[in-house]
Amino acid sequence: MLRPEHCLRLLPAATSAFVAASAPFPFPLPRRGAIRLRLPRARTPRLMGKPSSSSRASAGPDAAVAPAPEMPQREVARALAEQAVASLGPRLLPSAVPDDVAEFRNGAGNAVGSLDVRCGAPGSSIDFMMQSSLHCKVPNGAIDITSILVFLNATTDAPHFLLELIQGSPTSIVVVLDLLPRKDLALHPDYLQKYYENTQVDKQRAKIEELPQARPYRSPSLFVRSACSPTAIMVSIDCGQGGEGTLEEIVSERLATVAKEVLQIWLDCCADSIAEMDAIERDCLVERDQIVRSKSIEVDLTANLPRMFDPDVSSRVISEIRKAFGVQES
């Protein structure tokens, strides 16, 4: 739910921008071929699981090359994914993402990504769980984006779960962590109380914002700000020159703990929620969800992903995300 274009001011001036497969908002990208630094041709590790035998077989000589570097935020995302899968169990179907979408790269070799989607089992309240990671080499370093989304279906009006971590330098990271509301909170104070006040999720936000290295992140996009809850963790953590170790410690300890707590709140209070809704309420809920998803696909991914990846690659990735989001090509 974060527009990375708006956090570029937080990144080094020479940093080139790109969009994550599941980060739904746009920002300017360099023309294809503008970046010439090459990333070692290795397969980007998935957040969960292992490459299939066919993937390993096709890796060829590149299999011995070191993959995109492991980073603390990927460990956080991997731990959260395992936590979610352990709790949701049979309510999640196995991933059916093709190998060439589960792991993909551009022709220049400077950008690699991974995408995993697990749909909800029939009869469950889970619509889908999506994980993605992107790593892009740029002239003065790299940008790394890691995301987890868990969307619910229309059997409940409970919030969705969102985590996005965008690291643009070794010493700074933007964090977006939220239970995305599916109703207008001002019109539904009971919803605000049930999912945000009674769960005390706002205490987790305070644990991050109290860090001396943390500064509030305020997206210039009114749409983004209106889509998030008032308890959303939206911060930039900047540890300054020489602060690589400090950032790693914050991500691996404080952020990991808070993210785990927020996910557990979602698992306990939202994942199993079933709501009694009349036809009009349900239609409004579905329409609201579709607006968010359609905007994510039509405005952002179709405009930006093809500018970083070759047309056939971006087309395959966008197609899988459309399928998960339930959004048809217009």
Side-chain angles (χ1 to χ4, degrees):
M1 297 301 295
L2 174 67
R3 296 184 72 166
E5 64 174 279
H6 301 139
C7 72
L8 290 182
R9 300 181 189 132
L10 307 174
L11 306 182
T15 297
S16 300
F18 71 100
V19 67
S22 68
F25 294 97
F27 56 101
L29 295 173
R31 293 186 301 275
R32 186 177 302 161
I35 300 174
R36 294 301 181 188
L37 294 183
R38 294 187 60 83
L39 189 69
R41 295 189 59 83
R43 298 179 65 82
T44 303
R46 300 187 195 184
L47 289 177
M48 289 179 53
K50 299 178 179 179
S52 66
S53 57
S54 60
S55 296
R56 292 192 298 270
S58 65
D62 290 342
V65 181
E70 279 295 305
M71 308 178 81
Q73 63 265 33
R74 292 191 184 184
E75 291 299 323
V76 171
R78 186 175 292 112
L80 290 185
E82 292 173 354
Q83 179 183 352
V85 170
S87 177
L88 297 175
R91 285 171 286 179
L92 286 174
L93 296 175
S95 174
V97 175
D99 287 336
D100 58 1
V101 174
E103 299 175 0
F104 54 94
R105 68 175 61 248
N106 67 2
N110 59 277
V112 295
S114 67
L115 177 70
D116 187 64
V117 179
R118 297 186 63 173
C119 294
S124 79
S125 61
I126 307 299
D127 193 357
F128 65 86
M129 175 177 171
M130 179 183 293
Q131 303 165 251
S132 71
S133 69
L134 282 185
H135 185 81
C136 182
K137 286 282 188 179
V138 294
N140 64 332
I143 302 175
D144 194 271
I145 302 181
T146 304
S147 307
I148 296 181
L149 301 170
V150 192
F151 272 43
L152 299 173
N153 58 33
T155 62
T156 178
D157 59 4
H160 305 307
F161 177 83
L162 165 70
L163 172 70
E164 289 187 353
L165 304 172
I166 302 179
Q167 183 165 355
S169 83
T171 61
S172 65
I173 192 169
V174 170
V175 179
V176 178
L177 175 60
D178 195 21
L179 306 184
L180 290 174
R182 299 168 73 195
K183 287 189 174 184
D184 186 320
L185 299 182
L187 293 178
H188 298 88
D190 54 334
Y191 188 96
L192 178 67
Q193 181 177 25
K194 178 178 181 180
Y195 292 115
Y196 300 98
E197 293 181 4
N198 292 350
T199 61
Q200 300 186 335
V201 68
D202 206 35
K203 290 184 176 180
Q204 303 305 320
R205 176 191 57 79
K207 291 177 183 178
I208 296 295
E209 292 189 353
E210 70 185 12
L211 289 168
Q213 299 88 351
R215 297 291 181 271
Y217 172 79
R218 295 289 181 262
S219 172
S221 167
L222 295 178
F223 178 82
V224 173
R225 282 149 56 183
S226 68
C228 291
S229 80
T231 64
I233 297 171
M234 300 184 71
V235 299
S236 168
I237 299 174
D238 191 343
C239 297
Q241 186 174 1
E244 292 89 343
T246 301
L247 182 64
E248 289 185 5
E249 183 178 352
I250 289 173
V251 172
S252 299
E253 297 182 9
R254 180 72 66 95
L255 179 59
T257 299
V258 166
K260 181 178 180 180
E261 290 296 326
V262 173
L263 177 59
Q264 194 59 52
I265 289 171
W266 183 85
L267 290 168
D268 292 341
C269 303
C270 303
D272 292 325
S273 176
I274 300 296
E276 293 292 335
M277 292 179 279
D278 59 33
I280 295 177
E281 287 179 303
R282 198 176 302 278
D283 288 345
C284 289
L285 185 78
V286 171
E287 182 180 9
R288 189 183 191 280
D289 280 348
Q290 285 299 105
I291 288 173
V292 172
R293 298 178 190 202
S294 295
K295 187 174 181 68
S296 302
I297 295 293
E298 302 302 334
V299 176
D300 310 312
L301 290 174
T302 56
N304 290 317
L305 206 59
R307 297 168 62 188
M308 187 176 75
F309 290 95
D310 299 329
D312 59 332
V313 175
S314 60
S315 177
R316 290 196 302 267
V317 175
I318 291 171
S319 177
E320 287 300 316
I321 296 174
R322 283 187 188 278
K323 187 187 302 182
F325 276 26
V327 174
Q328 300 299 319
E329 186 172 0
S330 58

